[in-house]
Amino acid sequence: MSNRIITGRPLSRSEQSWCKAVSCGTGTTILSLLVSKPPNLSHLHNALQKLQNSHPILSSKITYSTAAAAFSLIIPSTIPLPPFKLNSFSPPSPKDDVVSLSHLHIILEHEMNINPWSIPNLSSSSGVPVFFGSVYELPEEKWVVVFRLHTVVCDRTTAVGVLRELKELMKEIEEKNGGVEMGNSCFGKVSLGIEDLFPVGKGKKGIWAHGIDILGYSVNSLRFSNLKFKEVSGPRCSQMVRLQLSIQQTSQILMDCKLRGIKLHGALSAAGVMAAHSDQRNSGDSLGYKRHIVSNKYAIVTLTDCRSQLEPPLSSHNFGSYHSAILSMHVVKRGETVWDLAERIYTSFTNSKLSNKHFTDMSDLNFLMCKAMENPSLTPHSSLRTSLMCVFEETVEDDLQSQFGLEDYMGCASTHGVGPSIAVFDTIRGGMLDIMFVYPSPLHSREQMGMMVEEMKRILLEDRT
């Protein structure tokens, strides 16, 4: 694999698109940890230093060339790598609409809306780091440790890897009482972008096929149904609603999926479409649709990890952004149950993946996302919403360990620039389903999304036919 790794590099086409999206606010990954004892900052610094040595992409910086209108990743030229900086803060003052939320939730939303990656910042000679860390001291002798990463270097697999490796490193360092061998760094090596690792022939599509697919996506996007928008003007920020189910409720939903031979993402997508369809019928023609239209088309984006299918194949240890999207459109049929719809959605996704659409359509979807950013009026009410929901093919499974005083954690990415109305981040911890639903505010309200999530829960648990 040595011949497929280089020192620094221009960003790939899909990564270029994400960097453009970050200027709008999309593309920030957050890992937020609640601990009940003071974090040993010396040990944490050592663990982060070793993490960066193992994954130098985390120590890279993003730069922007105005002349080339392109973004690049660079590696600092000093050895050893500069120490990771942890900033300390007091918790942000809660606003009126978040007084009932936990400190962990409030801090996550606060960090999710900090964007250091604007083009003026990236155009500086030194660039901007892709990885930031903060520690918030809470009044009740608890602490929140937050890591904020640019999505170009951190897809969901990477985020899970960062958390798991960091916990192992902290355990190793504490067992050795602070001393740890830093090992040999693979300094200066950054893996190629996803398009440069496509299997031969799988990403190819003729120019006419590209044109037809782009036209099809564009025309269909004008017919997509959306959630009712609450406020379409004013600056956007990201907010989150959390849903936690019991072991019994989780087991019931997973068993229903197993009986039908589908994955959880199919059920979550179907419940979201059903809930949105119910909301739209109840709101009449508030979105400009005629009351007599009973069949509306909803767009679902499903993200799939391509690592195992690339050439050469990558493992979860290869940090970066290696997910691809498959866009599908679905209509709720009269008399259809959520599980009927879930099977249709899952089958549609599976067939698209077997047809390699996660490779062949990547450039088309990136092109349309960029066009939406350049021409917001092409989207309903200039909302920059490109789909109803975004889900992941695989659910993360993890056990919440109490070591180091870790009580709880949350991880998700922002969506308020351009993208879906709802981004779904699902995890099973100790047999319990824990889901974060990220949405753009004030386009959607916290009350609206809370009701939407409760309706999804009701649909999944009560529709057993």
Side-chain angles (χ1 to χ4, degrees):
M1 185 173 174
S2 59
N3 64 331
R4 302 301 301 271
I5 298 180
I6 56 180
T7 301
R9 60 175 173 83
L11 296 186
S12 67
R13 294 185 299 277
S14 59
E15 292 169 335
Q16 296 282 351
S17 298
W18 274 110
C19 278
K20 293 177 182 178
V22 170
S23 296
C24 301
T26 297
T28 304
T29 301
I30 301 294
L31 294 171
S32 185
L33 296 77
L34 175 67
V35 294
S36 58
K37 67 177 184 179
N40 188 315
L41 297 184
S42 176
H43 291 182
L44 187 54
H45 273 110
N46 286 343
L48 290 165
Q49 183 76 56
K50 190 168 185 180
L51 185 69
Q52 286 184 309
N53 284 348
S54 300
H55 305 281
I57 195 171
L58 297 181
S59 64
S60 62
K61 294 184 177 182
I62 297 180
T63 62
Y64 178 74
S65 168
T66 304
F71 302 87
S72 298
L73 281 178
I74 60 172
I75 296 288
S77 58
T78 58
I79 300 178
L81 296 175
F84 188 89
K85 184 179 180 182
L86 278 170
N87 298 302
S88 297
F89 299 102
S90 299
S93 300
K95 300 177 182 179
D96 292 340
D97 65 333
V98 299
V99 291
S100 62
L101 302 180
S102 67
H103 284 294
L104 181 64
H105 190 148
I106 294 171
I107 291 171
L108 179 139
E109 287 191 0
H110 171 72
E111 284 275 339
M112 196 157 45
N113 292 292
I114 299 174
N115 175 18
W117 298 297
S118 64
I119 285 181
N121 290 338
L122 299 182
S123 300
S124 66
S125 58
S126 59
V128 178
V130 298
F131 190 16
F132 295 87
S134 303
V135 177
Y136 293 83
E137 183 174 357
L138 306 182
E140 59 268 27
E141 295 189 356
K142 293 185 179 182
W143 291 260
V144 174
V145 180
V146 183
F147 301 108
R148 176 166 24 96
L149 301 99
H150 194 299
T151 305
V152 157
V153 303
C154 184
D155 60 9
R156 197 185 196 199
T157 299
T158 297
V160 172
V162 166
L163 184 56
R164 288 177 177 170
E165 290 191 30
L166 191 58
K167 287 193 290 185
E168 289 301 314
L169 288 170
M170 284 293 293
K171 181 179 180 181
E172 177 186 355
I173 290 171
E174 295 208 350
E175 288 177 349
K176 294 183 178 180
N177 197 27
V180 62
E181 176 62 42
M182 299 306 288
N184 295 323
S185 171
C186 50
F187 173 80
K189 298 177 181 178
V190 179
S191 297
L192 293 167
I194 185 171
E195 289 97 339
D196 297 313
L197 299 173
F198 275 5
V200 176
K202 285 195 175 181
K204 287 186 177 180
K205 185 193 291 188
I207 187 170
W208 286 110
H210 272 299
I212 291 171
D213 285 344
I214 288 176
L215 180 61
Y217 281 132
S218 301
V219 171
N220 279 320
S221 68
L222 299 176
R223 302 172 183 171
F224 290 160
S225 299
N226 293 280
L227 287 177
K228 180 181 179 181
F229 299 137
K230 294 296 184 179
E231 176 58 59
V232 296
S233 61
R236 305 260 166 82
C237 67
S238 289
Q239 293 182 347
M240 187 269 292
V241 170
R242 188 179 191 182
L243 174 64
Q244 294 175 293
L245 301 182
S246 67
I247 292 179
Q248 181 181 3
Q249 291 170 330
T250 301
S251 178
Q252 173 185 319
I253 293 172
L254 295 180
M255 182 58 68
D256 285 334
C257 290
K258 184 177 181 180
L259 288 173
R260 291 163 177 83
I262 66 174
K263 293 182 179 180
L264 180 60
H265 72 85
L268 294 176
S269 299
V273 168
M274 288 280 198
H277 190 63
S278 175
D279 175 76
Q280 194 172 91
R281 285 183 301 177
N282 293 337
S283 62
D285 57 356
S286 59
L287 294 180
Y289 295 100
K290 301 298 183 181
R291 291 181 182 273
H292 68 270
I293 296 180
V294 295
S295 295
N296 296 308
K297 189 175 291 186
Y298 299 90
I300 301 293
V301 170
T302 306
L303 296 174
T304 181
D305 189 345
C306 297
R307 283 172 171 80
S308 64
Q309 298 177 281
L310 300 177
E311 291 184 355
L314 303 181
S315 72
S316 59
H317 188 71
N318 294 103
F319 285 5
S321 183
Y322 296 104
H323 276 68
S324 185
I326 290 178
L327 175 66
S328 58
M329 292 147 280
H330 304 281
V331 174
V332 180
K333 298 179 180 179
R334 188 182 300 274
E336 188 173 41
T337 70
V338 67
W339 295 106
D340 295 332
L341 180 56
E343 289 184 40
R344 279 205 293 115
I345 291 175
Y346 180 74
T347 300
S348 172
F349 167 79
T350 302
N351 290 339
S352 294
K353 190 174 179 182
L354 289 173
S355 300
N356 295 315
K357 290 183 76 66
H358 53 310
F359 291 133
T360 60
D361 289 15
M362 179 180 287
S363 61
D364 298 339
L365 296 178
N366 286 334
F367 173 81
L368 291 172
M369 182 177 77
C370 291
K371 285 301 178 184
M373 288 187 288
E374 295 167 3
N375 304 277
S377 60
L378 296 178
T379 60
H381 300 285
S382 298
S383 63
L384 287 174
R385 294 308 97 196
T386 55
S387 64
L388 172 68
M389 292 179 67
C390 177
V391 297
F392 288 86
E393 179 185 6
E394 302 294 344
T395 300
V396 173
E397 295 191 33
D398 192 23
D399 290 325
L400 178 62
Q401 301 176 6
S402 59
Q403 63 188 63
F404 322 119
L406 180 62
E407 290 190 356
D408 193 9
Y409 68 90
M410 296 192 291
C412 58
S414 66
T415 62
H416 63 267
V418 58
S421 284
I422 312 166
V424 182
F425 300 84
D426 54 321
T427 306
I428 296 177
R429 302 178 189 169
M432 295 181 290
L433 190 57
D434 189 357
I435 312 177
M436 267 127 268
F437 299 85
V438 183
Y439 62 93
S441 173
L443 200 60
H444 302 298
S445 69
R446 196 180 299 276
E447 179 184 14
Q448 177 192 19
M449 294 308 302
M451 294 174 63
M452 171 85 174
V453 168
E454 284 301 315
E455 178 64 7
M456 289 176 63
K457 175 183 175 181
R458 185 198 66 77
I459 290 170
L460 286 171
L461 293 175
E462 294 183 10
D463 191 345
R464 306 299 306 283
T465 57

